[in-house]
Every structure is written in structure tokens, then in C-alpha cells.
Amino acid sequence: MGILAGRKRALLLYYYYVVPLLLFLFFVQTFSLVSALNYTTKQQVSSLRLDRIRRHLDKINKPPVITIPSPDGDIIDCVHKRKQPALDHPKLKNHKIQKVAPEMPKFKKKREENDEMGSSSSSSSNSGSSNEVKGAMLMQMWHTNGTRRCPKGTVPIRRSTTHDVLRAKSLFDFGKKQRNTNSLLHRRRREDAPDVVSGNGHEHAIAYTGSSEEVYGAKATINVWDPSIEVVNEFSLSQIWVLSGSFDGSDLNSIEAGWQVSPELYGDSRPRLFTYWTTDSYQATGCYNLLCAGFIQTNSRIAIGAAISPVSSFSTNQYDVTILIWKDPKLGNWWMGFGDNTLVGYWPAELFTHLAEHATMVEWGGEVVNSRPNGEHTSTQMGSGHFAEDGFGKASYFRNLEVVDSDNSLSSVRGISTLAENTNCYNIKSFYNDQWGTYFYYGGPGKNPQCP
């Protein structure tokens, strides 16, 4: 009788709890499928390719302790921190997750007053910093169902789906940027301009430091928008790059973080928190977020790749987020901070070659893909979709640009330069004042009468 009663209880639990959960996940997944189809080219998919995709997803979608459905269709898996994808990396087999929090860099007073401003910078007494910024704590969409964190000992990971992979050019390309050696920034590297290596047709509006400094991190506050994207394989992002290595070779190391809108990667047009890394100029190593082994997450409340809200509105409320990337002076790992001193996780020192020591350049700014649909410049927007001269409340901004020095101190950057490939499509203008330190407005609409 005891065995029968136990089986009966198990059946009741199955029908009352497991079945409803499975049905709910089915409908959520169906909703995601319908949404994703809007961003997916209709194609015949062979069973062999589907098998390869499923095997890959089995590697990166780790078994969750619990699963949290998000209102936007995402599935957030709470995975035990020692089971996360990062530790599958061959160089991290013996890696012990850093338990002691790194020493946060402390802000140092302005650099010497005789530091020169960058040639493209100018002082401004009429900056956006005098306006109100609704810098309320940005939250992620999966928090809106009442669950704001995963259980202790687990980390939130956005589940990848078959449709996510099918939107990519190939399984190899899923979650990766692509190399481009034809951009203006690449051609001008001999003039000490930065070499933002990325996919074909990428355009930028960025500020950058010199290439001879020893840098141990960077920080900035970025306002968040939801720029429109013209076609599925284009994206718009705003981020920090921390770089070291040869711009002429294949050993460039890059650590990146910010927000992006990428229908191809995520299946929608929401702005999302993202990270990226590479050690070979985007050829084979690294990826976005946790889509390959590498970045170790430690935070139970922030899901990398999840949508963030609210977003800034034209001429009204502005919402921004602070990103900090810096090297732990004790263990050498590169940490990421989000918002008000919230630690998200780190890129282990073992992953890198040049960045195992320090960075030599930092870049801040926007990037879009211009695939020239219909033979014309894309109308994909950068930032808010407005040019820099439109100013606060209309144009996008980066404020309080700072770098981390060898003594683990933050200082305001005063010697930046700026660059954009085509200022008729996207541009950038930098300034300095006491409230926002070094800052800049940037962005643009893409296609317009001056940008055919």
C-alpha cells in the first residue's frame, strides 16, 4: 500500500505541477517561435544540420536548477555556477571560480591641469548634465514576473534555441562577430587611429585613447535607446572596447561590454546587455555573452543577453547605465561591473595573451552594420537615431569617460580623439565639464538625403 500511495502522490505531483509547467513553457516557446519567424528567412533545414545544432545547444544550455520564463519570451535558466559554460574552456579546466571580490578601482582627482584636451574635444558649459537624467535602476525584463534573482549558488543564463542558431549565417558564426579589414578605421591605423575589427560593412562613431598607454580598465555611463534595425542581419550597439595586441596581425585581444539591438542574435528588437571577447581578431576565439566557454558569471540577478528597460525617450526621460571593465590587480582577471558597483563576472586571465598584462587602447561609442539593403545605405539607427548636434534628450551620449591606471585608480580621460567613417550618416562630438567629465554625443539615422 505504501508503494502504491507513493506512486499516486508522484502521479499527482506530475499532473498538477510538471504538466502545467511543460504546457506553459510550450506556449512561451511557441510565442518565441512566432516572433522569431519574423526575423528568420524561410529555409529548408536538413536533419543533419538540426542534429548538429541540437548537439551544440546541449553543450551551451546547461541543466537548470530552476527555470524562469520572461514576459518577452526569453527563458532564463538558473544554472549552478560550477556548471556554467565558461568552465568548458580547455584553458579553464583547473580554474577555481574567484570567491573573494576584487578590489574596486577608486576615483582619483582630475589629472594634472596641464593635460591637454583631445583635438576633437571642447569645453562646454551647456551640456546635458544640467538636465535631469532618470537614472533609476534599469531592470531586466525577466524581473517583471516577480523573480529578481536566481537561487544562491546559481547564475541566470538566457537559454538559446534552435531558431537563434538558424538566424545566424552558420553554426560556426552563431554568437560571433565577423572580421572586417576594409573599414576606414582599419585603413587609418597607421595614423594611430583605432582598428575596430568587426564584420563587413560595420560603421562606427567612437572616442578613443592613444595606443601607447598602459591601461588597466575603463568606465562610462551610457544612455539606453531602442534604435530601429532595417534588416535582420544588421545590429546597433553602444559599448566599451578594451584592447591590446597587434592591429595588423591576428592576435588582437578585445574585451567589450554595453547594450545592443540585434534581431539576428536575439530574435527581437529590444536593447540587451551584452559582453564580448576575442584573442585572435575575431577569427575563431570568443563570442557574445555566454554563447561559448570563457566569461565566468558570478551574479545571480543580472542575465547577460537579457533585455533591459526602461529606455530613453525623445525629449523626455533619459535612462542610462554604467559599465566598468577592469583588471583585478591581485589575480589578473578582467572584471565587469554594471550599474552601481554590481559585479557581474569576469574574463579569466588564462584566456588572453596581450591582455594578460594590460590594455593599450580603450574605445567608447556606437557601431552598426550597414549591409546596404537595396543597394543603398541602411536606415538602421545608431543610438537614438539623431545626430550628435541635437544634444541632450535627443542624441545618445556617453558620459564620465574614465580609465583605470596601474595603481587601480579611476581618472577622468582628457585626451581622447573621435572618429566616424561617414559623418553624413552617423557622427560624434565630444566635450568636457565638471559634472559629466569627458563626454560625447553620437549617433544618427543612417540613410537620409545626405547619406544615400
Side-chain angles (χ1 to χ4, degrees):
M1 293 294 290
I3 294 175
L4 291 174
R7 288 178 177 174
K8 185 176 181 180
R9 283 195 298 272
L11 286 171
L12 287 172
L13 285 171
Y14 181 82
Y15 283 111
Y16 281 98
Y17 294 98
V18 177
V19 171
L21 176 60
L22 291 174
L23 287 172
F24 177 79
L25 292 177
F26 171 78
F27 285 117
V28 169
Q29 200 71 352
T30 301
F31 173 79
S32 298
L33 172 60
V34 172
S35 298
L37 288 175
N38 294 327
Y39 297 101
T40 305
T41 302
K42 292 182 180 179
Q43 54 183 304
Q44 293 292 327
V45 183
S46 69
S47 59
L48 182 62
R49 186 183 180 195
L50 283 175
D51 286 342
R52 287 198 300 266
I53 290 173
R54 290 181 184 125
R55 286 196 299 270
H56 181 73
L57 291 176
D58 286 342
K59 289 181 181 178
I60 63 175
N61 288 330
K62 302 299 183 180
V65 174
I66 66 168
T67 292
I68 302 171
S70 177
D72 59 1
D74 282 358
I75 299 295
I76 303 299
D77 289 328
C78 296
V79 176
H80 195 284
K81 62 183 179 182
R82 289 194 293 271
K83 301 293 184 182
Q84 61 181 297
L87 300 177
D88 291 340
H89 196 286
K91 293 183 178 180
L92 302 180
K93 285 184 177 179
N94 299 317
H95 183 87
K96 293 183 179 179
I97 296 177
Q98 185 172 338
K99 294 182 179 179
V100 179
E103 180 185 350
M104 299 286 290
K106 297 178 175 61
F107 187 76
K108 185 168 60 177
K109 292 287 186 180
K110 298 176 189 176
R111 293 183 177 186
E112 288 76 11
E113 292 299 325
N114 60 0
D115 276 2
E116 293 184 0
M117 300 288 286
S119 59
S120 61
S121 300
S122 61
S123 180
S124 172
S125 60
N126 187 29
S127 76
S129 57
S130 61
N131 294 274
E132 184 178 8
V133 176
K134 299 287 186 179
M137 284 296 292
L138 295 180
M139 67 177 182
Q140 296 192 297
M141 294 289 288
W142 66 282
H143 293 167
T144 59
N145 67 0
T147 305
R148 291 185 175 270
R149 67 168 64 237
C150 281
K152 185 177 180 180
T154 69
V155 294
I157 300 178
R158 179 183 182 270
R159 186 184 300 179
S160 296
T161 69
T162 300
H163 291 285
D164 290 337
V165 181
L166 288 176
R167 286 190 300 271
K169 184 186 301 182
S170 68
L171 181 58
F172 175 81
D173 292 312
F174 174 59
K176 292 183 172 67
K177 286 187 178 182
Q178 296 176 15
R179 182 179 174 89
N180 175 24
T181 58
N182 296 317
S183 71
L184 171 66
L185 289 88
H186 185 90
R187 296 195 302 270
R188 291 185 58 183
R189 64 176 176 267
R190 293 180 181 175
E191 301 172 24
D192 288 331
D195 183 20
V196 181
V197 186
S198 48
N200 289 332
H202 288 218
E203 296 186 19
H204 312 83
I206 62 169
Y208 60 97
T209 64
S211 59
S212 60
E213 296 182 46
E214 289 188 6
V215 184
Y216 295 82
K219 185 178 182 180
T221 297
I222 318 165
N223 67 338
V224 181
W225 296 84
D226 54 351
S228 65
I229 312 297
E230 182 170 353
V231 293
V232 65
N233 64 333
E234 297 180 340
F235 67 63
S236 180
L237 61 75
S238 298
Q239 69 169 60
I240 300 173
W241 290 261
V242 176
L243 301 156
S244 187
S246 171
F247 294 134
D248 291 317
S250 60
D251 63 347
L252 181 70
N253 289 200
S254 181
I255 290 174
E256 306 165 20
W259 63 261
Q260 72 175 158
V261 175
S262 176
E264 181 180 279
L265 188 59
Y266 304 107
D268 62 25
S269 56
R270 296 181 177 90
R272 294 169 178 269
L273 175 70
F274 82 95
T275 62
Y276 199 92
W277 68 276
T278 182
T279 60
D280 62 356
S281 298
Y282 306 90
Q283 293 182 108
T285 62
C287 61
Y288 282 110
N289 308 330
L290 307 181
L291 297 178
C292 67
F295 183 86
I296 293 179
Q297 178 143 350
T298 59
N299 190 286
S300 63
R301 293 185 293 112
I302 304 297
I304 300 173
I308 51 180
S309 65
V311 299
S312 301
S313 301
F314 186 79
S315 292
T316 55
N317 295 339
Q318 301 299 296
Y319 295 93
D320 57 27
V321 62
T322 299
I323 300 287
L324 168 64
I325 300 169
W326 88 102
K327 187 177 183 182
D328 179 1
K330 292 184 178 179
L331 298 181
N333 299 319
W334 286 87
W335 278 81
M336 175 186 170
F338 178 77
D340 187 15
N341 298 329
T342 298
L343 298 176
V344 178
Y346 63 92
W347 294 268
E350 297 97 309
L351 295 176
F352 301 102
T353 53
H354 297 285
L355 280 174
E357 298 298 324
H358 54 76
T360 56
M361 179 179 286
V362 174
E363 299 165 4
W364 301 263
E367 177 183 350
V368 300
V369 175
N370 172 27
S371 63
R372 296 193 64 81
N374 302 317
E376 298 179 321
H377 194 285
T378 182
S379 60
T380 288
Q381 299 173 333
M382 180 186 291
S384 67
H386 287 261
F387 287 113
E389 51 267 29
D390 288 348
F392 183 80
K394 299 175 182 177
S396 302
Y397 63 76
F398 276 64
R399 62 181 174 91
N400 300 108
L401 271 59
E402 297 167 6
V403 293
V404 181
D405 298 329
S406 58
D407 60 355
N408 202 37
S409 61
L410 282 162
S411 56
S412 181
V413 179
R414 296 291 294 271
I416 63 167
S417 300
T418 60
L419 188 63
E421 283 97 339
N422 189 341
T423 55
N424 289 325
C425 306
Y426 314 103
N427 69 352
I428 179 170
K429 294 182 182 298
S430 64
F431 308 91
Y432 178 86
N433 70 22
D434 290 338
Q435 291 176 291
W436 274 18
T438 297
Y439 67 100
F440 61 83
Y441 294 110
Y442 70 104
K447 182 183 176 183
N448 68 79
Q450 284 71 46
C451 173

